[in-house]
Amino acid sequence: LYYADRQQYSDVYFQSTAGSSLPGAESISTFSELVSKGHSMANDDWDWWQDWHLAFYVSDLDAVALNLMKNDVPFVSRGSLYFEIANTGLIIQVLGNATVYWKEPFLFCRKTDNAGTGRMQPYKINVTDISSVPSKPLPEFIPSHQSMYASDAVENALWTYKFLNVTKLDTLTKPTQSHAYANGTCANIQWMAVENFWSLHYIQQKFKREGLIRIKEHEKFVNELHGDLSEIDAYMGYRAALSVPSLTPYIENFKVHEEPILMLGKGGKRLLIKAPNGYIIELFEDTAYYSRRMMEGGSLAYVPQY
C-alpha cells in the first residue's frame, strides 16, 4: 500500500492455512468463522473482537465510505469507519473526515450483549442518496495503528514499554474526549507510538460483548500453542511487523530478561516475540533502508508492515 506520493509503503499479507501441517492450522478456519459470525456490524452494537483491527488514515474518507456503500459492504460508524475483511473476522478501521454518513462517538460505557445488540442487523447510515453521488478514486492508505484486544491492557502495555522502542501517548479518555471513560472506568485503553507516530493500542473492554469466543480463553489457547517460541505455528500468521536498523540491541534485551524469541530464516535478520495476550510481533532488520534514511536526513523510526 503506497503512500506519501508513492515514496513510502506498508505491506499487508494474507496467508492460507489450507492443507498446512503447522500446529494450530486445523482450527484457523473455525476461529475465523466464529470471530466473523460474532460481528453484527450494526451501528448500535460492538463486540470486543472488533477492537482487533488494523487502522489507516486517508485524506478523503467519503471516497472510502462511498465505495463500501455502493458495494453493500456494511461498516460501523464511530466518526471513523470499521469494516470486516469478508469472512475473516479481521477489521479494518479507516480514519478521516466524512460527510456522506452520520457519525457518533465511541461510547465505551454503552453495554452490548449477544442476546440483544448482537442480534441486530446492519442498516444504511448514509445521509444522502448514494445512487446520485458519483464514485471517487480511493485515496492513499497511510498506516495509523494496530489495535488489539487484551484481557489485561496494562500488563501488555508494560511489556511493550520494556521490550520495544515506543512512547506512551495520551489516550484521550476525559469525558469530552474521543475515548471518554476508557481510563479504567468502562474500558482500559493503552496507547503507545513509535517515532513516526504509528501506534499500538491494547483495549480491555468492560461492557462490550465478547462475541462467540471468550477473550481470556483465546489468550490462554494461543499462549499455550506458542509455548516458548521454539517452532512456528499457524496463529503466528496473525502479527504486525516492524523494521529496525539493527536487531542486536533487541536480542540482547530479550536475553537479559529471559524473554523467548523465535528467529526466522537464515541470516538472523527476522525474529518473533510474544506479548502477554499471545499476539505475535515481528521485528526485522533493514540496514540498507535505515542507512538511506539517515543519508536523506531521516530518523531511525520503525516502519510498519502487517
Side-chain angles (χ1 to χ4, degrees):
L1 297 175
Y2 285 99
Y3 62 99
D5 295 323
R6 300 184 67 84
Q7 297 303 303
Q8 298 186 56
Y9 68 92
S10 64
D11 292 329
V12 179
Y13 295 87
F14 297 93
Q15 182 174 348
S16 172
T17 57
S20 172
S21 60
L22 290 175
E26 70 283 352
S27 67
I28 287 283
S29 61
T30 300
F31 167 70
S32 299
E33 180 181 1
L34 289 174
V35 175
S36 180
K37 285 184 175 180
H39 300 325
S40 74
M41 301 309 292
N43 269 283
D44 302 289
D45 185 41
W46 188 267
D47 71 85
W48 199 346
W49 285 96
Q50 287 173 279
D51 289 311
W52 180 29
H53 58 255
L54 184 61
F56 298 89
Y57 290 112
V58 295
S59 59
D60 188 349
L61 188 54
D62 278 349
V64 178
L66 286 168
N67 183 277
L68 293 171
M69 289 189 283
K70 286 176 180 290
N71 287 281
D72 294 319
V73 178
F75 62 84
V76 175
S77 163
R78 295 295 184 267
S80 58
L81 63 81
Y82 301 78
F83 68 93
E84 181 193 358
I85 300 175
N87 303 315
T88 66
L90 300 176
I91 298 293
I92 298 294
Q93 178 186 10
V94 189
L95 299 109
N97 296 313
T99 63
V100 295
Y101 62 87
W102 59 260
K103 301 178 285 291
E104 67 176 4
F106 198 102
L107 303 176
F108 284 94
C109 297
R110 182 168 62 185
K111 185 177 181 180
T112 63
D113 59 82
N114 288 341
T117 59
R119 300 179 68 178
M120 291 180 171
Q121 297 297 312
Y123 53 85
K124 304 294 185 182
I125 62 171
N126 52 293
V127 294
T128 187
D129 179 10
I130 297 302
S131 64
S132 66
V133 180
S135 299
K136 305 172 73 175
L138 290 174
E140 295 179 329
F141 278 57
I142 303 168
S144 168
H145 65 267
Q146 170 75 61
S147 177
M148 291 172 277
Y149 57 82
S151 62
D152 189 331
V154 172
E155 178 189 24
N156 281 272
L158 292 175
W159 177 90
T160 305
Y161 295 134
K162 186 175 183 178
F163 293 112
L164 298 178
N165 181 18
V166 297
T167 301
K168 185 175 183 178
L169 294 182
D170 181 354
T171 49
L172 305 175
T173 57
K174 294 178 181 178
T176 59
Q177 294 181 310
S178 58
H179 299 95
Y181 304 110
N183 57 354
T185 302
C186 297
N188 192 317
I189 179 171
Q190 298 290 317
W191 195 349
M192 62 281 306
V194 301
E195 192 173 338
N196 63 356
F197 296 108
W198 185 84
S199 60
L200 289 170
H201 298 183
Y202 294 104
I203 301 179
Q204 178 182 349
Q205 295 284 5
K206 295 189 177 183
F207 294 106
K208 303 304 182 188
R209 64 187 184 89
E210 295 184 58
L212 302 179
I213 300 179
R214 306 287 288 183
I215 295 293
K216 277 191 175 183
E217 291 177 5
H218 182 71
E219 289 179 339
K220 182 175 184 292
F221 166 74
V222 291
N223 271 305
E224 290 177 350
L225 182 64
H226 297 331
D228 62 358
L229 301 186
S230 59
E231 63 175 350
I232 290 284
D233 66 68
Y235 283 80
M236 290 178 176
Y238 295 114
R239 67 178 187 259
L242 298 168
S243 70
V244 296
S246 172
L247 284 178
T248 301
Y250 293 95
I251 293 173
E252 291 175 350
N253 190 37
F254 299 144
K255 287 181 177 179
V256 167
H257 293 94
E258 299 183 341
E259 187 74 12
I261 62 173
L262 175 60
M263 301 301 298
L264 297 177
K266 298 180 180 180
K269 300 297 184 182
R270 299 170 60 206
L271 64 81
L272 303 183
I273 52 177
K274 174 173 65 72
N277 65 350
Y279 191 80
I280 296 295
I281 296 174
E282 177 182 342
L283 300 181
F284 65 97
E285 186 173 304
D286 192 349
T287 306
Y289 172 81
Y290 284 99
S291 296
R292 187 169 65 253
R293 275 182 62 89
M294 293 302 290
M295 290 179 64
E296 295 171 352
S299 62
L300 299 182
Y302 285 120
V303 176
Q305 294 188 331
Y306 314 101

